[in-house]
Amino acid sequence: MNLKELAVHITAEFQKHYGRAPRWIAAAPGRVNVIGEHTDYNDGFVLPMAIERYAIMAADAPLPGSVAAQSKITIFDTHFDETATIDVSAPVTKGTPKWSNYIRGVLCGFQQRGVKIPALDVAFLSTVPLGGGLSSSAALEVCTATLIEAVTGQTIDPIEKALLAQKAEHDFAGVPCGIMDQFISALGREGQLLLLDCRTRQTQLVPMSDPSVALLVINTNVKHELGSGEYAKRRAECEEAAKIIGVKSLRDATPDQLEKAKSKLSDVVYRRARHVIGEIERTVHAAEGIRQSNWPTVGQFMYASHAALRDDYEVSCKELDAVVEIAEDIGYKGGVYGCRMTGGGFGGCCVALVKADHADAITKKIATEYKAKTGIEAAIFASRPAAGATIIKG
Ligand code: GLA
């Protein structure tokens, strides 16, 4: 479903559940990161794009009459047929169901900025695969924030909105994530990748409109769990490396400095730093390659990124590796320029840069071979760079 169709769909769902039409509709996209993995919390560069998969919410004030309804937000998840109820008459705290914490965290962020959260009836749907490394949680957070902007009329700067959503993820979901996911969901632009400097938060748009290439998202359908501690561990290892090398963050370290400090670093910490330092450089070069439509070069950076994530950063898994191997086998002749895991890792998705006129054949081949290798059905789709969060109605 495209965004227009989704808006029609969520309107009908709202109508069915609450018996009237919604007054506000807001949506925010998931993302795929083309390159620049595990660099955001090291003050480095990332190159994500928003995808045509969204979290979407339709809402209205509760009907007058029920006193209880005037102090809470009711969110009906139309896909899982599950309802979350959040008391907004007091400071919002963590609660159940688990997914409501992303929403709770955002509401709390608004409250901390002095915004009074109104009671609402909400219908919610997400077409961003859950736990697929495509930022379903950031989409949910940014969608919530955008809905609250629509309802209260108090808009906040998109960067501030991304930071508010990131804090929700830190404090309410326990994942010490970087800024990439919430940033691209809030600030994505149609037809453009975003080269984001995570230190200065400055962005450069990188057009991705060459019709001869396509980006495929290949979901291994192995769920990833970033809350499990591995993500936080990587972050701590990077901080340790920066401290020993004597720089503020790995953004400031050169390959030379890393080699000089090698004897003082454990093998693991050395390899973590080697990935990050190399990846920051690859990201800047890949952005340049995209600007010049130099697709074979961009593809090589993607493969190199995957190898470093697999061997040095150790956040891949056998299913992600299987997809990349299949892509490499199809190769340039078969229309694949490059492929890598995308997002936090430990499952989730790969992203492949392919020749557009080969995309269908490549999709079929990856699906068949992945099934043969792993016994799992992959879900594969193409996406153009989509726009960031938007108020559709209100
Ligand atoms: C997750 C985090 C991001 C980023 C990626 C890895 O998606 O939410 O901030 O660190 O992992 O690049």
Side-chain angles (χ1 to χ4, degrees):
M1 271 191 274
N2 64 30
L3 193 52
K4 264 197 188 141
E5 292 162 344
L6 259 185
V8 171
H9 178 79
I10 199 72
T11 301
E13 289 290 326
F14 185 96
Q15 179 84 43
K16 204 161 73 189
H17 193 72
Y18 293 106
R20 61 193 192 280
R23 183 158 157 212
W24 299 281
I25 301 177
R31 64 99 187 92
V32 70
N33 188 20
V34 175
I35 194 163
E37 219 63 85
H38 289 277
T39 49
D40 60 351
Y41 52 82
N42 288 295
D43 282 348
F45 287 91
V46 291
L47 189 61
M49 70 173 209
I51 53 173
E52 295 153 315
R53 300 286 161 121
Y54 306 88
I56 188 163
M57 287 177 176
D60 189 20
L63 291 176
S66 153
V67 177
Q70 306 311 317
S71 62
K72 63 185 187 195
I73 293 189
T74 303
I75 306 130
F76 173 59
D77 181 330
T78 64
H79 182 71
F80 292 104
D81 194 13
E82 191 177 20
T83 299
T85 307
I86 302 172
D87 180 3
V88 290
S89 64
V92 173
T93 53
K94 274 194 214 174
T96 53
K98 214 171 152 199
W99 57 265
S100 75
N101 281 320
Y102 300 108
I103 299 170
R104 291 169 187 272
V106 169
L107 298 176
C108 175
F110 274 96
Q111 284 178 329
Q112 284 168 349
R113 281 165 176 76
V115 175
K116 189 176 176 328
I117 304 291
L120 286 172
D121 287 342
V122 180
F124 161 68
L125 175 70
S126 180
T127 57
V128 188
L130 295 183
L134 299 177
S135 297
S136 53
S137 55
L140 175 52
E141 290 149 7
V142 175
C143 179
T144 304
T146 308
L147 179 72
I148 296 303
E149 288 183 299
V151 173
T152 61
Q154 285 178 261
T155 50
I156 50 178
D157 176 77
I159 295 181
E160 177 78 9
K161 180 155 79 171
L163 291 169
L164 185 158
Q166 181 198 28
K167 192 166 185 316
E169 183 105 18
H170 286 187
D171 298 349
F172 280 67
V175 180
C177 63
I179 190 58
M180 167 170 68
D181 307 345
Q182 291 78 10
F183 210 96
I184 185 68
S185 185
L187 284 104
R189 295 278 184 85
E190 206 175 324
Q192 315 270 353
L193 307 183
L194 215 62
L195 179 65
L196 165 63
D197 180 337
C198 298
R199 166 166 279 167
T200 62
R201 302 205 180 105
Q202 274 171 352
T203 53
Q204 288 174 44
L205 296 173
V206 181
M208 179 88 194
S209 44
D210 183 341
S212 76
V213 289
L215 282 166
L216 294 180
V217 178
I218 303 127
N219 191 344
T220 59
N221 275 325
V222 175
K223 290 249 185 300
H224 84 156
E225 250 311 340
L226 292 185
S228 66
E230 286 299 321
Y231 185 90
K233 217 160 116 191
R234 296 297 180 286
R235 221 183 147 140
E237 287 160 349
C238 290
E239 278 159 20
E240 187 185 332
K243 207 166 154 203
I244 296 174
I245 297 171
V247 288
K248 188 160 172 274
S249 71
L250 288 179
R251 163 73 177 273
D252 304 309
T254 62
D256 237 32
Q257 283 173 306
L258 174 66
E259 289 315 311
K260 284 205 181 101
K262 190 172 178 184
S263 61
K264 288 184 267 171
L265 301 166
S266 72
D267 173 58
V268 166
V269 171
Y270 167 76
R271 285 187 291 114
R272 304 298 190 246
R274 184 165 63 182
H275 162 72
V276 172
I277 295 169
E279 184 79 354
I280 293 173
E281 210 176 315
R282 281 189 287 274
T283 304
V284 175
H285 289 314
E288 206 39 54
I290 292 171
R291 282 204 183 92
Q292 294 163 359
S293 297
N294 187 350
W295 307 118
T297 299
V298 176
Q300 289 312 309
F301 285 124
M302 291 172 78
Y303 284 132
S305 165
H306 184 79
L309 288 160
R310 181 190 60 211
D311 303 333
D312 278 352
Y313 219 66
E314 296 178 284
V315 290
S316 187
C317 64
K318 62 179 193 307
E319 292 83 2
L320 289 165
D321 293 344
V323 171
V324 175
E325 276 158 29
I326 296 164
E328 268 179 311
D329 279 352
I330 299 171
Y332 182 68
K333 278 202 183 124
V336 178
Y337 290 112
C339 182
R340 57 181 289 278
M341 57 152 275
T342 185
F346 307 106
C349 292
C350 283
V351 56
L353 178 68
V354 304
K355 289 182 186 158
D357 55 1
H358 288 53
D360 287 344
I362 293 167
T363 301
K364 283 198 192 97
K365 194 151 172 76
I366 294 179
T368 313
E369 297 203 359
Y370 179 73
K371 177 83 200 275
K373 271 196 175 183
T374 63
I376 307 169
E377 211 77 60
I380 307 178
F381 64 90
S383 179
R384 292 271 153 205
T390 144
I391 296 171
I392 297 170
K393 184 175 182 191

